């Protein structure tokens, strides 16, 4: 169905039209086109639409036009399942109401000082967005009165019911005036939702957004066939080649998010885990870092998916394919937002995954294209370009070059030509990485290979091969440990330290909740050595070991001496073992 409706056809104010234009929305999305006129006319509405469809603006736009800007009491209440969503929704209200100067809104949710929220509510806001528990809390305290609230929206109603908010929601609905407008948005229309609408809505107008229109139009969907043990390597390779600013990696379990986060960290990629076990404050912190680009990769479970609302996520990796097709749509909808394009990258490690890809194609009514892993040539080209950039940057630095020039002079007097010197240095810089790339083979192995690999893996007790830093080839032979806490430690941790590396003892361990990327970050940041040059890390209960280049060992020990990691004072020394 060709859709030519414009925002100006929907009967909304010129202030909103201006705001919408400034936000870069050129055309109403299907849910907006269908819901806005009904809500403006005062009807009850059920919108079956998921995140990514523009559902927030579908209710926010008419609400802003419906409230009386000169009357400073709560007139509209929006209930959301999570704090993140409440904050996002309230943010959207603020942007859309930018030119309605007298309209204000507030987000109220648990985990934030209630006094601050009370102060804002006292000032007189027209629009209140909140989580059911905290909204009920304000009602109980008498700090929020709904006597004048003419409209209520239940956003992600199915999610709120799943989270056990039914009693709170019903109590809030009962606080509202009888003569009110009740709007439900929900991804699914399961029985509990329908029961609620029958009880609290009045001849609702039902709008269903067909699945095809849900999310995926602007998202390129691709998959790679890869050995299970090399998923990590392939993902890192794709991140490196494409140089994504921000990406999200989805895993099926919290444990896996931790493993992937640590594994990325050990490869010098700034990653943070986001899952249901984190406190609200921790989640906010992680999201804050991601928004600011202080970490470039979020590693999340499905529970956290809906809270990830950042407009410039360029890629979503399904490290594990989701267990449920609806989850897939939620996951990949983290990219391709706000009119931008994005890519959803899936890893297929066997026949069952391949079947899932087919199911997902049917579900999203879009094709998921098979791709070949970036070739070694592409990667080497990328490394060449990087080297050229690095050389230019280094030479452009205005600093005293005397020692370096003397060294060059010495090399030339040794009978080397300038080309030979340059070639030798380039090989020293790129040689190891190039060799590692040549040795990697991502293709799915035959059945026999797989059996053999499984045997080897269980002997090693590890999940991932070590990264490009110490070479997939060694990992395949199982000589090296991983940069994470593994079963190996308990069996004595026989990690070999390379000849050009020194093993340092660190007085902090699991009890201090440090992770490999904390150690890499601290050493790289404080001692000013590249994160990439740091070798294997083993974290034990009370202490850890880290391999650093031999030449940097003393410097690292000295600079780390009065420093802290996670608030704990660091003590490092050369490992005696
Ligand atoms: P939502 O489904 O409300 O979470 O919205 C998903 C994303 O779509 C958000 O990033 C919005 O900023 C964006 N968006 C909402 N409406 C439109 C529109 N009409 N045109 C383009 N982007 C939109």
């Amino acid at each position: 169905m060709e859709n030519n409706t414009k925002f100006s056809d929907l009967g909304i104010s010129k202030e909103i039209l201006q705001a919408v234009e400034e936000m870069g929305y050129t055309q109403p999305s299907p849910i907006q086109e269908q819901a806005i006129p009904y809500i403006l006319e005062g009807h009850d509405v059920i919108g079956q639409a998921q995140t990514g469809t523009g559902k927030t603006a579908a209710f926010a736009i008419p609400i802003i036009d419906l409230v009386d800007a000169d009357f400073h009491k709560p007139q509209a209440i929006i209930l959301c399942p999570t704090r993140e969503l409440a904050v996002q929704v309230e943010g959207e209200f603020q942007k859309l109401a930018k030119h309605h100067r007298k309209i204000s809104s507030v987000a109220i949710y648990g985990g934030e000082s209630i006094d601050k929220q009370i102060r804002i509510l006292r000032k007189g806001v027209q629009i209140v967005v909140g989580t059911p528990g905290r909204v009920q809390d304000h009602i109980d305290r008498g700090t929020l009165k709904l006597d004048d609230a003419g409209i209520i929206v239940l956003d992600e109603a199915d999610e709120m019911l799943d989270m056990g908010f039914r009693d709170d929601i019903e109590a809030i609905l009962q606080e509202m005036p009888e003569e009110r407008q009740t709007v439900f948005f929900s991804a699914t229309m399961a029985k509990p939702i329908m029961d609620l609408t029958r009880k609290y809505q009045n001849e609702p107008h039902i709008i269903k957004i067909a699945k095809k229109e849900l999310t995926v139009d602007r998202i390129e969907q691709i998959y790679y066939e890869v050995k299970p043990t090399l998923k990590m390597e392939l993902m890192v390779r794709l991140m490196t080649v494409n140089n994504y600013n921000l990406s999200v990696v989805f895993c099926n379990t919290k444990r896996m998010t931790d493993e992937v986060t640590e594994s990325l960290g050990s490869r010098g990629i700034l990653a943070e885990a986001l899952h249901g076990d984190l406190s609200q404050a921790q989640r906010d912190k992680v999201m804050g870092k991601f928004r600011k680009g202080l970490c470039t990769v979020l590693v999340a479970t499905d529970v956290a998916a809906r809270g990830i609302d950042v407009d410039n996520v360029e890629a979503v990796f399904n490290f594990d394919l989701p267990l449920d097709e609806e989850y897939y749509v939620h996951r990949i909808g983290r990219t391709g937002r706000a009119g931008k394009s994005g890519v959803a990258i899936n890893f297929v490690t066997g026949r069952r995954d391949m079947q899932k890809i087919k199911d997902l194609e049917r579900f999203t009514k879009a094709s998921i294209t098979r791709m070949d892993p970036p070739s070694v040539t592409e990667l080497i080209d990328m490394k060449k370009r990087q080297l050229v950039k690095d050389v230019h940057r280094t030479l452009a630095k205005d600093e005293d070059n005397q020692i370096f020039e003397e060294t060059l002079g010495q090399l030339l007097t040794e009978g080397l030509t300038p080309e030979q010197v340059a070639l030798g240095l380039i090989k020293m810089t790129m040689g190891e990485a190039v060799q590692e790339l040549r040795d990697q083979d991502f293709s799915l192995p035959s059945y026999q290979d797989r059996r053999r690999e499984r045997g080897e893996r269980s002997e090693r007790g590890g999940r991932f091969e070590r990264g490009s830093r110490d070479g997939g080839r060694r990992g395949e032979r199982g000589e090296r440990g991983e940069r994470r806490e593994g079963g190996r430690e308990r069996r004595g941790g026989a990690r070999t330290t390379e000849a050009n590396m020194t093993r340092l003892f660190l007085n902090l361990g699991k009890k201090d909740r440090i992770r490999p990327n904390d150690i890499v970050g601290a050493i790289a940041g404080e001692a000013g050595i590249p994160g990439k040059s740091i070798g294997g890390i083993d974290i034990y209960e009370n202490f850890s070991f880290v391999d650093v280049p031999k030449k940097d060992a003393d410097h690292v020990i000295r600079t780390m001496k009065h420093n802290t990691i996670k608030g704990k004072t660091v003590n490092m020394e050369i490992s005696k073992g």
Side-chain angles (χ1 to χ4, degrees), residues 7 20 23-32 49-59 61 85 88-89 92 95 155-156 214 218 306 309-311 333-334 336-340:
F7 275 111
V20 158
M23 288 163 79
Y25 302 174
T26 48
Q27 217 191 359
S29 69
I31 185 77
Q32 291 163 359
Q50 300 186 346
T51 308
T53 52
K55 66 178 170 60
T56 314
F59 60 78
I61 289 174
L85 188 64
Q88 274 166 39
V89 168
E92 184 103 348
K95 286 191 230 157
D155 191 12
E156 302 199 350
L214 280 179
R218 277 193 235 105
R306 291 183 191 223
D309 179 31
V310 178
D311 281 343
R334 301 311 94 198
R337 298 171 79 85
K340 300 192 176 104

Side-chain angles (χ1 to χ4, degrees), residues 339-498:
K340 300 192 176 104
S341 59
V343 59
I345 300 168
N346 300 289
F347 296 124
V348 168
T349 59
R351 228 178 317 152
R352 212 178 301 158
D353 282 351
M354 202 55 243
Q355 186 52 49
K356 267 195 199 171
I357 291 285
K358 296 221 171 76
D359 294 342
L360 291 172
E361 283 186 318
R362 258 194 304 277
F363 188 74
T364 58
K365 297 200 177 72
S367 56
I368 307 180
T369 316
R370 183 182 176 283
M371 302 289 271
D372 288 322
S375 70
V376 171
T377 322
E378 278 173 78
L379 277 153
I380 293 178
D381 277 351
M382 194 272 304
K383 291 213 176 285
K384 281 185 203 159
R385 285 196 299 275
Q386 187 61 42
L387 185 70
V388 173
K389 248 198 255 165
D390 290 349
V391 170
H392 277 297
R393 214 180 24 229
T394 308
L395 293 177
K397 276 189 205 153
D398 187 19
E399 55 191 9
D400 183 5
N401 284 333
Q402 195 191 339
I403 296 176
F404 310 119
E405 280 163 5
E406 280 170 14
T407 313
L408 175 62
Q410 202 174 333
L411 285 162
L412 296 177
T413 54
E414 299 284 333
L416 295 167
T417 65
E419 281 80 9
Q420 284 172 320
V421 172
L423 191 64
L425 292 174
I426 291 170
K427 277 175 92 169
M428 282 158 66
T429 316
M430 289 176 61
E432 200 182 333
V434 168
Q435 189 57 45
E436 278 168 12
L437 292 174
R438 286 203 173 122
D439 288 350
Q440 269 177 0
D441 171 18
F442 291 112
S443 55
L444 273 176
S446 68
Y447 178 66
Q448 257 86 14
D449 286 348
R450 250 181 282 168
R451 268 206 355 198
R452 202 175 53 235
E453 241 188 49
R454 262 206 295 276
E456 281 181 13
R457 245 197 343 270
S458 59
E459 265 169 44
R460 294 201 305 275
R463 192 110 190 204
F464 301 135
E465 306 301 332
R466 271 302 308 255
S468 49
R469 193 165 300 154
D470 55 9
R473 60 212 133 99
R474 269 184 234 106
E476 298 232 327
R477 294 204 303 268
E479 287 171 17
R480 293 290 303 244
E482 305 163 9
R483 256 197 193 174
R484 63 184 188 87
E485 308 147 51
R488 188 193 339 272
E489 299 171 2
R490 268 164 257 126
R491 296 201 299 270
R495 186 199 287 280
T496 47
T497 301
E498 282 177 17

